[in-house]
Amino acid sequence: MQGTRTKPSSDATFSIPSLNRYNTDVQAAQVDQGLRAIQQAYSPDTQPTPQYPPTAAYEHPAVVSTPNALGVNAHQQFAHPVAQPQPSYTEGMVAYQNLNAMVTDMVPFVPSPEYAHPDTTMPGSFYAQHPPQPKIPTVFNDPNRELQDQFDLHGDVNVDPSIWNQDVLQAQPATYEHHHTGIEAPAVQPEYQSPYHEEEYAVHEAYARNEPDGVEVPHTSEAMQRLGEWLAYARMAHMEAWNADRSGE
Amino acid sequence: MSGIFQRALELIVGDSSRAALTQIPKDRHFKQITERDLIRLESEIGSQIFGALPHGHRREFFCLDSTTWIWYEEWYDENRRFQTSTIRYEINQNGVLKVQEGARYSYLDGQEYEHFAMAMKMYFEQVMRRVYGRYPASGELITPVIA
């Protein structure tokens, strides 16, 4: 039937938008509105007249005698505006409190990752300040490396924390070898099935052979390959961390 | 005729097969990142470590895998013809094998070898810091994980 509209049912599809740019703009507009109210409430027009006379600097003749393109002299342009009806002190305080509450609500706001640039070098980027952390902790220069080697572990985030039983560990000699301990290596959680596990270990070993005090210009094929391995490792670790962050893990 | 049309279309909108190497999809922030995406980011750095490019040139330089590096450059010659050059550097036990189009193979030596080694170092240092947020020397994250 032409011209007839059907009243939407109460369960019509409508979803409150998540915290995104739209809401941010709305909040910003509300803040602007609150700020204007405060500025009006605390405008100099509503304040007591200063007791001191204006200085000569405010009455410079060159300023007074120069009309602008609209034909308004500068002293008129910058003159105090005519006082207009202003909100009372109470109204100003209410506006201030409303604004304060609004700002307080906004304090925890952080840019949604969907709007963050993955380039961690971009100034102001969310990920420049909060770079995604790989789920696999770095194996470089890890003080627990000896411990990790004993258990043949290279990343321990997914390992059952019960393995860190200090009573058991401290009861063992500090220099014992893994295959001499009789302690079974703890089971790795199923989710820790990274295909880069072996590569990670290889990089770890490769790095252990390198000079620790800086990256030398690779003059040998072996050194060049190590650089490539480190890049591949960093790439995979970054990708895993990023994608885990995206999938909400 | 279709070839001419295809060529004209490429000149206007670009070659999609080549563009895919460098164009970063705008919606990548919403998706999971791929190794290819990261290589593109690395190549943005790699293309700049050799200095400014002549007008009309485009360059890519990136580490494809642990033993393969790619140099790609495209430009228009004096006859306004589109030219490309792809060089693959393969690192093996004997050195760095330079593989050019036309089945030309040669091992790097002398100054070219030194330049390549220095380019690798510059690439590594900048990519580790700027793309992956790690110290090049140690591999540790520049922003440590706070437990």
Side-chain angles (χ1 to χ4, degrees), chain A:
Chain A
M1 183 181 297
Q2 190 172 7
T4 303
R5 290 186 177 180
T6 305
K7 182 180 179 181
S9 61
S10 59
D11 59 348
T13 303
F14 175 76
S15 59
I16 298 175
S18 59
L19 185 60
N20 55 19
R21 205 179 300 280
Y22 166 76
N23 282 343
T24 307
D25 290 343
V26 171
Q27 285 183 315
Q30 291 171 339
V31 170
D32 286 344
Q33 189 178 6
L35 275 175
R36 279 196 296 274
I38 291 173
Q39 286 169 349
Q40 288 178 346
Y42 293 97
S43 165
D45 296 327
T46 62
Q47 303 302 314
T49 304
Q51 297 302 313
Y52 51 87
T55 63
Y58 292 110
E59 300 170 350
H60 197 283
V63 175
V64 174
S65 62
T66 306
N68 62 13
L70 298 175
V72 179
N73 282 329
H75 78 283
Q76 295 171 329
Q77 183 180 6
F78 295 109
H80 235 19
V82 178
Q84 297 177 353
Q86 300 297 327
S88 66
Y89 175 80
T90 304
E91 290 171 335
M93 284 306 295
V94 169
Y96 172 77
Q97 289 166 355
N98 290 340
L99 177 68
N100 208 19
M102 211 178 310
V103 172
T104 304
D105 289 341
M106 291 180 67
V107 167
F109 170 77
V110 294
S112 174
E114 283 75 11
Y115 292 100
H117 196 286
D119 183 0
T120 57
T121 63
M122 175 177 285
S125 163
F126 172 72
Y127 278 97
Q129 302 165 30
H130 309 281
Q133 304 299 341
K135 298 299 181 186
I136 307 171
T138 178
V139 297
F140 297 118
N141 294 340
D142 192 332
N144 293 323
R145 187 192 165 199
E146 183 181 350
L147 192 62
Q148 291 181 0
D149 288 346
Q150 291 167 6
F151 290 98
D152 193 25
L153 293 176
H154 316 294
D156 55 0
V157 289
N158 293 320
V159 173
D160 184 357
S162 64
I163 68 164
W164 306 114
N165 185 332
Q166 293 302 313
D167 294 337
V168 175
L169 295 178
Q170 290 174 4
Q172 305 302 321
T175 57
Y176 73 108
E177 298 293 335
H178 163 59
H179 47 275
H180 294 160
T181 61
I183 300 177
E184 292 184 2
V188 176
Q189 296 296 316
E191 57 267 27
Y192 189 63
Q193 297 294 333
S194 168
Y196 311 105
H197 184 87
E198 294 302 322
E199 293 180 20
E200 179 188 350
Y201 185 75
V203 171
H204 188 190
E205 291 300 302
Y207 184 78
R209 294 194 299 267
N210 193 44
E211 303 84 359
D213 55 349
V215 179
E216 302 292 333
V217 176
H219 287 292
T220 64
S221 298
E222 186 183 9
M224 289 180 174
Q225 286 187 0
R226 279 208 299 272
L227 282 189
E229 288 170 355
W230 298 342
L231 280 169
Y233 166 72
R235 189 183 293 159
M236 293 308 161
H238 187 85
M239 188 172 66
E240 285 189 349
W242 178 273
N243 291 341
D245 184 59
R246 281 292 170 277
S247 61
E249 292 179 9

Side-chain angles (χ1 to χ4, degrees), chain B:
Chain B
M1 185 64 183
S2 62
I4 296 175
F5 177 77
Q6 180 68 26
R7 185 80 188 117
L9 191 63
E10 285 183 9
L11 288 174
I12 296 171
V13 302
D15 184 348
S16 60
S17 62
R18 281 193 296 271
L21 289 172
T22 56
Q23 289 180 356
I24 300 172
K26 292 180 179 178
D27 59 345
R28 65 175 177 175
H29 309 157
F30 300 92
K31 298 193 307 185
Q32 298 212 338
I33 201 166
T34 64
E35 184 179 8
R36 194 180 184 85
D37 294 330
L38 291 173
I39 289 177
R40 285 194 197 102
L41 290 175
E42 292 182 21
S43 185
E44 288 179 14
I45 293 174
S47 64
Q48 297 169 8
I49 60 179
F50 299 95
L53 279 169
H55 179 69
H57 282 233
R58 188 171 73 84
R59 178 182 296 157
E60 304 288 340
F61 180 70
F62 55 89
C63 170
L64 184 65
D65 57 42
S66 61
T67 59
T68 310
W69 294 68
I70 301 291
W71 170 291
Y72 170 82
E73 190 154 353
E74 64 182 28
W75 71 97
Y76 287 93
D77 64 12
E78 58 273 10
N79 298 320
R80 303 299 301 160
R81 281 185 297 197
F82 188 70
Q83 303 286 343
T84 65
S85 172
T86 304
I87 301 175
R88 191 170 77 245
Y89 297 95
E90 296 180 357
I91 302 168
N92 57 40
Q93 294 179 343
N94 299 321
V96 180
L97 182 64
K98 180 180 179 183
V99 182
Q100 295 177 270
E101 294 153 342
R104 287 180 290 168
Y105 304 93
S106 61
Y107 276 101
L108 294 187
D109 59 359
Q111 194 174 41
E112 187 176 12
Y113 184 90
E114 295 298 324
H115 287 169
F116 181 73
M118 182 59 73
M120 285 183 72
K121 180 191 177 185
M122 298 295 293
Y123 180 97
F124 179 77
E125 291 211 346
Q126 295 194 39
V127 165
M128 288 290 278
R129 288 181 186 277
R130 297 170 59 188
V131 178
Y132 301 123
R134 291 176 180 268
Y135 292 108
S138 67
E140 292 176 334
L141 290 170
I142 292 176
T143 304
V145 179
I146 301 174

